[in-house]
């Protein structure tokens, strides 16, 4: 599956991005995932940070398995999807890079980690998940 593009609301009348992009190089986690690690960004999707905070509260291990680095600047994000025919859950993986849409200040446009908005220090777990599912 290709790296998701910007939503049409983030494009100008000519189809060009209204925001810059920057490559983030921070760690996936700092001191493991915690419920208060995520901050909602510009998207009106409060369900996304809330769901990840709830999972972090209930079972930290699920989040550490959800996002993994591939060692080449890309990451694999794994979601569970129910197969309605069998009722079983299957893995759905999406490979993404850490190029994120940013404000003029350089902080992530969408969700970010609460530990930092610096591209070299922010935890990447939440911004990468939101990049995929937004």
């Amino acid at each position: 599956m290709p790296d998701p593009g910007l939503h049409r609301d983030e494009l100008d009348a000519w189809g060009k991005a209204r925001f810059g992009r920057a490559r983030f190089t921070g760690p996936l986690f700092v001191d493991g995932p915690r419920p208060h690690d995520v901050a909602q960004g510009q998207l009106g999707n409060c369900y996304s940070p809330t769901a990840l905070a709830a999972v972090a509260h209930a079972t930290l291990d699920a989040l550490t398995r959800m996002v993994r680095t591939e060692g080449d600047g890309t990451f694999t994000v794994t979601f569970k999807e129910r197969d309605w025919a069998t009722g079983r859950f299957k893995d759905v993986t999406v490979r993404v890079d850490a190029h994120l849409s940013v404000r003029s200040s350089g902080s992530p446009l969408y969700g970010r980690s609460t530990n930092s908005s610096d591209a070299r220090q922010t935890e990447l777990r939440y911004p990468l998940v939101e990049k995929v599912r937004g």
Side-chain angles (χ1 to χ4, degrees):
M1 180 179 261
D3 202 23
L6 288 173
H7 187 273
R8 69 176 180 261
D9 292 344
E10 274 74 46
L11 304 176
D12 65 18
W14 297 276
K16 297 199 185 246
R18 294 182 359 209
F19 303 99
R21 288 177 71 79
R23 182 169 184 270
F24 281 67
T25 58
L28 282 175
F29 302 99
V30 174
D31 299 325
R34 295 172 299 184
H36 58 277
D37 282 346
V38 296
Q40 182 177 351
Q42 184 164 322
L43 286 178
N45 67 344
C46 58
Y47 60 85
S48 183
T50 302
L52 284 176
V55 170
H57 180 72
T59 174
L60 299 176
D61 195 37
L63 292 177
T64 57
R65 291 188 318 259
M66 184 180 195
V67 184
R68 73 174 190 268
T69 183
E70 295 298 330
D72 62 358
T74 65
F75 302 85
T76 299
V77 181
T78 303
F79 295 93
K80 298 292 185 183
E81 181 177 271
R82 175 172 266 168
D83 181 339
W84 293 107
T86 65
R88 294 189 176 143
F89 286 92
K90 62 181 180 178
D91 288 348
V92 176
T93 60
V94 180
R95 198 165 182 165
V96 296
D97 61 30
H99 288 89
L100 304 174
S101 297
V102 294
R103 295 177 171 86
S104 59
S105 67
S107 68
L109 178 66
Y110 303 131
R112 64 175 180 80
S113 168
T114 57
N115 77 313
S116 175
S117 60
D118 183 296
R120 295 168 309 226
Q121 296 176 11
T122 192
E123 289 179 290
L124 290 175
R125 169 187 48 92
Y126 176 62
L128 294 175
V129 170
E130 190 174 47
K131 180 177 183 178
V132 175
R133 284 296 199 214

